């Protein structure tokens, strides 16, 4: 009988390799070099790993191009035509639609209606900042008050329009409450051209105050609490803490809210469209754009109006960023 040496199999036994021999034999084998039947698998995994983020990115970019930039490009193209939205032919007319937007008083003067909503945004931001500053400190039932203030923003704009339509109608809720205080002949809140835009702007204040409130509250709570403790030790009042700590700390958020207020005032649609339909001088630029496209069948002119509105929002935002640039605030 043959004697097996370490690392070798007996002559008459099964040809099995010992652990030490197998480790020495396969020590120099590298995966993914093509040696063996599965040598190309790691290369495929690396390629898939490299392509995975691009595939996810391609889906998002594709949807963005399909539903945002492609319609915007068509909008710009339609603005240079006289298309009525029905015919297949679109005649190129150059800048005639843009000239009409800036020269026709019935079109461009509608922008003055946005001034009512722009003025209302200051009241909206002031109310939101006031309650955010109060409820950021220890206050009883603060969570309840936060929910009450933010709740109107969660309601659908159509529902808000119908609710306030019944509130402002003759003999409605508001007139009934005023009658309790001796007001026997209340004004026509939605029928008087001098009051209708103020009534609609007040409705927008009630709806969007909660959004600014949440933004301001989150910014205030991000300020380190050590600053408040140091201010209290120095004898600073709440009002002094507001001007020395809170206001500088949330300046960027206030600037963001101001940009949103400008763009929102220029593109108001839901509330005046539902409550008045643009009657009594309450038509905004967006409402008139839709009426031009679908009521008067002039999609080319309406497209030019939409492009002008977009450019105005971009220019106003750029001016605001130049006048009120971002400043690095370091309260620590």
């Amino acid at each position: 009988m043959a004697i097996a040496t370490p690392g070798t199999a007996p002559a008459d036994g099964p040809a099995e390799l010992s652990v030490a021999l197998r480790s020495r034999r396969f020590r120099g084998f590298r995966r993914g070099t093509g040696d063996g039947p599965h040598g190309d698998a790691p290369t495929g995994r690396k390629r898939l790993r490299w392509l995975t983020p691009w595939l996810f990115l391609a889906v998002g970019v594709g949807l963005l191009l399909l539903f945002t930039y492609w319609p915007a490009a068509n909008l710009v193209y339609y603005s240079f035509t006289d298309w009525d939205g029905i015919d297949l032919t679109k005649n190129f007319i150059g800048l005639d639609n843009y000239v009409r937007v800036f020269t026709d008083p019935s079109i461009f003067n509608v922008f003055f209606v946005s001034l009512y909503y722009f003025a209302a945004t200051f009241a909206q931001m002031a109310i939101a900042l006031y309650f955010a500053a109060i409820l950021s400190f220890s206050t009883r039932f603060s969570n309840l008050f936060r929910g009450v203030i933010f709740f109107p923003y969660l309601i659908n704009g159509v529902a808000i329009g119908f609710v306030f339509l019944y509130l402002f109608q003759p003999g409605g809720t508001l007139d009934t409450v005023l009658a309790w205080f001796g007001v026997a002949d209340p004004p026509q809140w939605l029928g008087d051209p001098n009051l209708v835009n103020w009534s609609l702007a007040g409705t927008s204040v009630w709806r969007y105050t909660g959004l600014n409130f949440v933004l301001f509250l989150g910014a205030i709570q991000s300020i380190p609490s050590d600053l408040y403790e140091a201010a209290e030790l120095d004898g600073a009042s709440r009002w002094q803490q507001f001007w020395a700590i809170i206001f500088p700390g949330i300046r960027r958020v206030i600037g963001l809210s101001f940009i949103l207020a400008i763009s929102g005032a220029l593109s108001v649609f839901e509330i005046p469209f539902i409550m008045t339909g643009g009657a009594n001088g309450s038509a905004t630029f967006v409402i008139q754009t839709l009426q031009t496209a679908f009521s008067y069948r002039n999609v080319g002119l309406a497209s030019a109006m939409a492009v002008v509105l977009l450019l105005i929002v971009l220019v106003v935002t750029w001016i605001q960023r130049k006048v009120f640039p971002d400043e690095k605030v370091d309260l620590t």
Side-chain angles (χ1 to χ4, degrees):
M1 177 181 293
I3 300 174
T5 60
T8 60
D12 55 349
E16 295 181 355
L17 297 177
S18 64
V19 176
L21 181 59
R22 286 200 303 268
S23 63
R24 289 197 302 269
R25 183 170 181 177
F26 292 100
R27 186 175 300 165
F29 179 77
R30 292 187 303 170
R31 299 179 61 184
T33 58
D35 299 335
H38 303 289
D40 295 333
T43 304
R45 294 194 195 99
K46 290 181 180 179
R47 186 178 296 111
L48 181 61
R49 190 182 302 112
W50 182 82
L51 288 175
T52 297
W54 294 102
L55 292 176
F56 282 102
L57 184 63
V59 175
V61 173
L63 293 175
L64 184 65
L65 293 175
L66 180 62
F67 295 105
T68 301
Y69 292 105
W70 178 251
N74 285 330
L75 183 70
V76 175
Y77 168 69
Y78 295 151
S79 65
F80 295 102
T81 65
D82 61 351
W83 188 41
D84 59 357
I86 299 176
D87 295 336
L88 297 179
T89 58
K90 306 177 183 65
N91 300 319
F92 183 80
I93 60 174
L95 298 175
D96 292 349
N97 289 326
Y98 291 95
V99 173
R100 184 178 175 184
V101 170
F102 289 100
T103 57
D104 191 347
S106 63
I107 295 177
F108 201 77
N109 287 342
V110 182
F111 271 114
F112 291 104
V113 178
S114 300
L115 295 178
Y116 292 93
Y117 299 93
F118 182 68
T121 56
F122 288 95
Q124 168 186 315
M125 294 175 62
I127 296 172
L129 185 58
Y130 173 77
F131 284 106
I134 291 179
L135 297 179
S136 62
F137 297 103
S138 179
T139 308
R140 295 184 61 183
F141 306 107
S142 60
N143 293 330
L144 175 62
F145 293 132
R146 293 175 184 177
V148 170
I149 297 174
F150 183 67
F151 178 73
Y153 182 70
L154 301 177
I155 305 176
N156 184 269
V158 177
I160 292 177
F162 281 110
V163 168
F164 277 85
L165 182 62
Y166 288 104
L167 177 71
F168 288 124
Q169 70 178 358
T173 306
L174 183 57
D175 291 348
T176 302
V177 173
L178 292 177
W180 296 345
F181 297 93
V183 180
D185 189 15
Q188 298 289 329
W189 303 105
L190 300 179
D192 189 353
N194 297 323
L195 291 177
V196 59
N197 289 315
W198 289 111
S199 301
L200 298 176
T203 304
S204 67
V205 170
W206 184 83
R207 182 186 181 189
Y208 292 104
T209 298
L211 174 61
N212 290 300
F213 168 76
V214 171
L215 294 176
F216 294 154
L217 183 64
I220 293 174
Q221 291 182 341
S222 65
I223 298 176
S225 59
D226 298 341
L227 299 177
Y228 298 110
E229 296 176 359
E232 290 178 357
L233 291 177
D234 292 337
S237 62
R238 294 296 189 186
W239 182 251
Q240 292 173 336
Q241 292 180 26
F242 174 81
W243 284 110
I245 300 176
I246 295 178
F247 188 79
I250 65 173
R251 187 177 301 171
R252 290 187 177 182
V253 179
I254 294 176
L256 173 62
S257 299
F258 190 71
I259 294 175
L260 295 177
I262 295 176
S263 60
L266 293 173
S267 58
V268 176
F269 171 69
E270 282 182 337
I271 292 176
F273 182 78
I274 294 169
M275 297 180 65
T276 62
N280 298 326
S282 62
T284 61
F285 194 79
V286 178
I287 292 178
Q288 187 163 2
T289 301
L290 292 177
Q291 291 176 348
T292 302
F294 300 106
S295 298
Y296 305 122
R297 295 296 180 185
N298 196 340
V299 177
L301 179 60
S303 300
M305 295 170 65
V307 173
V308 169
L309 177 61
L310 175 62
L311 293 177
I312 291 175
V313 172
L314 293 177
V315 170
V316 171
T317 303
W318 179 80
I319 293 175
Q320 191 273 338
R321 302 292 289 181
K322 290 296 182 180
V323 176
F324 304 101
D326 281 341
E327 299 180 0
K328 185 176 180 180
V329 179
D330 188 8
L331 296 175
T332 60

